[in-house]
Amino acid sequence: MWNIAVWGVGMKHEKILDNINVLIEKASSIRNNLNLYVIASIKQKTATNFDYTNQSVTTSYLSLMDLQEIMSYFQSYGVYTVLYTDIEDYLSDYYKGNLTEKPGLIFETSPKGIGRGKDALIPCLCDIEGIKHLGPTANVNCLCSSKYQWTSILSSHGISVPRSYFFTNHAWISPPPAGEKYILKLNYECASIGLTANSVIVNNGTNLTVKAEHLSKVFSQTVLAQEFVNGYEVEVPMLINSKFAVALPPVGLSYNSVRNLDTTFFNYDTIYNDDYGFYDFRTENEKIANELSACVYKIANILDLNGYIRIDFRVKQNGSYYVIDINNDPCINSHGSFLASLTYLGLPKETIAPLLIGNCMI
């Protein structure tokens, strides 16, 4: 595993660009011999056999415009691409021998359905068949998909996370103290599924439990209550391979052009409508931005992360910060912080294709 003392704390702008250039050069040396299979779930196109009643898992799917943008990155880079908009179609063709040639690389985004292990299916297949996967490995996908588990691991290693309480089998493992403000989250979901304007609650001793029980029943899964953190929301994209890791510049999220969100948070409707903006968090607080960058290297080492990842924080006005999410399938189109972060380094959005390819090939 790469050494945090070498790759982490105090990494300069020039060193980040040096490592990015290593990835780009690796991709450039092999791109003419690559074929890339893209498996993407698309809104109003991919058949979703199992879904939630009130909030659809399709909020995490790509629109046709999103898909076109992502495909253009790889195609303009000169990589031969094959598209599947349903994983079942790909698996059918793969096992029936209907593919024109074996995939050299697979890029998957937005696995369909609501199964807990859905993120691990394609990475497992890639491991079995010796195919390179642009995203994280199966074990990383499973770990990052379980909020309470990775939160507990980070907390045990001294990483600041909000105080968290786990609701399972109709009861709390340990009850959240009354009189404090919490945000209720589904333990296994992304894209703010399950989050509404009423998800932040001051616990009066019973209301938090009633809400948790309701969420658990509606979405058929465990629930996490976390201490609610007022302040800024910041995302740090990462690229991690077997030799080194690169944390891209931290990206602040704004709402109605307001940077300090205070009590505002991004719920299902906000994410579904892409109702947020980005800014370079270094221009807001360079010292804290550097601390967040150092922190994500520690997290990547502790959890043995790989692929491309995004780690999200809430930052209080006094500068204290807390890890609130680890996204194992971060958005790489114009709605996501990955591209925004690249522009803060002076790189065009088209850089994303060689970065992801180079990162999985090293």
Side-chain angles (χ1 to χ4, degrees), residues 234-298:
V234 185
E235 300 180 348
V236 185
M238 293 194 78
L239 295 155
I240 311 166
N241 54 66
S242 61
K243 293 186 178 180
F244 58 82
V246 178
L248 302 179
V251 179
L253 273 65
S254 63
Y255 183 71
N256 290 334
S257 299
V258 175
R259 293 186 172 190
N260 187 348
L261 301 179
D262 194 21
T263 60
T264 299
F265 64 97
F266 297 113
N267 60 29
Y268 175 86
D269 292 331
T270 308
I271 299 302
Y272 189 87
N273 296 312
D274 300 315
D275 194 11
Y276 49 85
F278 298 126
Y279 63 94
D280 187 343
F281 189 70
R282 296 175 299 179
T283 64
E284 184 70 27
N285 192 321
E286 186 174 9
K287 177 179 179 295
I288 299 303
N290 289 335
E291 290 182 17
L292 297 182
S293 294
C295 183
V296 298
Y297 288 101
K298 295 178 183 178

Side-chain angles (χ1 to χ4, degrees), residues 71-124:
M71 292 292 289
S72 72
Y73 299 153
F74 296 108
Q75 291 171 345
S76 63
Y77 191 61
V79 176
Y80 175 76
T81 57
V82 178
L83 172 66
Y84 280 87
T85 60
D86 197 306
I87 189 173
E88 292 176 57
D89 293 338
Y90 169 78
L91 292 174
S92 176
D93 283 352
Y94 183 83
Y95 284 110
K96 290 179 179 178
N98 293 335
L99 301 183
T100 54
E101 56 183 312
K102 180 180 178 180
L105 297 169
I106 289 184
F107 172 74
E108 182 197 20
T109 184
S110 311
K112 76 173 191 175
I114 59 176
R116 292 183 188 177
K118 61 183 180 180
D119 292 338
L121 179 57
I122 287 298
C124 276

Side-chain angles (χ1 to χ4, degrees), residues 9-249:
V9 179
M11 182 181 281
K12 302 297 184 182
H13 182 90
E14 293 78 11
K15 186 61 180 177
I16 294 175
L17 290 177
D18 285 345
N19 283 300
I20 284 176
N21 285 331
V22 169
L23 301 181
I24 292 174
E25 289 171 7
K26 178 63 177 179
S28 179
S29 68
I30 58 176
R31 65 176 173 176
N32 293 330
N33 299 315
L34 293 178
N35 60 83
L36 173 70
Y37 278 62
V38 176
I39 305 173
S41 299
I42 308 301
K43 293 176 181 176
Q44 300 177 334
K45 184 174 179 64
T46 302
T48 302
N49 300 324
F50 302 99
D51 202 353
Y52 302 122
T53 302
N54 298 324
Q55 295 184 357
S56 175
V57 72
T58 60
T59 187
S60 65
Y61 293 5
L62 300 179
S63 69
L64 287 174
M65 186 175 296
D66 294 335
L67 174 65
Q68 184 179 20
E69 181 181 11
I70 290 174
M71 292 292 289
S72 72
Y73 299 153
F74 296 108
Q75 291 171 345
S76 63
Y77 191 61
V79 176
Y80 175 76
T81 57
V82 178
L83 172 66
Y84 280 87
T85 60
D86 197 306
I87 189 173
E88 292 176 57
D89 293 338
Y90 169 78
L91 292 174
S92 176
D93 283 352
Y94 183 83
Y95 284 110
K96 290 179 179 178
N98 293 335
L99 301 183
T100 54
E101 56 183 312
K102 180 180 178 180
L105 297 169
I106 289 184
F107 172 74
E108 182 197 20
T109 184
S110 311
K112 76 173 191 175
I114 59 176
R116 292 183 188 177
K118 61 183 180 180
D119 292 338
L121 179 57
I122 287 298
C124 276
L125 177 64
C126 288
D127 282 346
I128 293 170
E129 301 295 339
I131 302 169
K132 292 291 186 179
H133 180 250
L134 267 63
T137 53
N139 64 308
V140 170
N141 277 306
C142 288
L143 176 59
C144 291
S145 298
S146 186
K147 296 180 179 67
Y148 184 70
Q149 281 65 36
W150 65 253
T151 296
S152 300
I153 294 171
L154 293 184
S155 178
S156 71
H157 285 271
I159 301 294
S160 294
V161 296
R163 284 178 290 111
S164 303
Y165 302 87
F166 195 45
F167 187 84
T168 181
N169 295 320
H170 311 288
W172 300 102
I173 296 296
S174 59
E180 299 186 20
K181 184 188 289 187
Y182 301 94
I183 182 169
L184 284 173
K185 303 177 178 179
L186 297 174
N187 193 46
Y188 299 108
E189 280 301 342
C190 63
S192 292
I193 294 172
L195 283 178
T196 68
N198 299 319
S199 292
V200 174
I201 302 172
V202 176
N203 184 20
N204 67 10
T206 59
N207 58 347
L208 194 70
T209 301
V210 170
K211 178 71 172 179
E213 181 70 50
H214 175 73
L215 276 175
S216 181
K217 180 179 179 180
V218 170
F219 292 94
S220 301
Q221 63 180 277
T222 53
V223 175
L224 183 66
Q226 285 191 323
E227 164 195 10
F228 184 77
V229 180
N230 293 0
Y232 300 87
E233 189 146 332
V234 185
E235 300 180 348
V236 185
M238 293 194 78
L239 295 155
I240 311 166
N241 54 66
S242 61
K243 293 186 178 180
F244 58 82
V246 178
L248 302 179

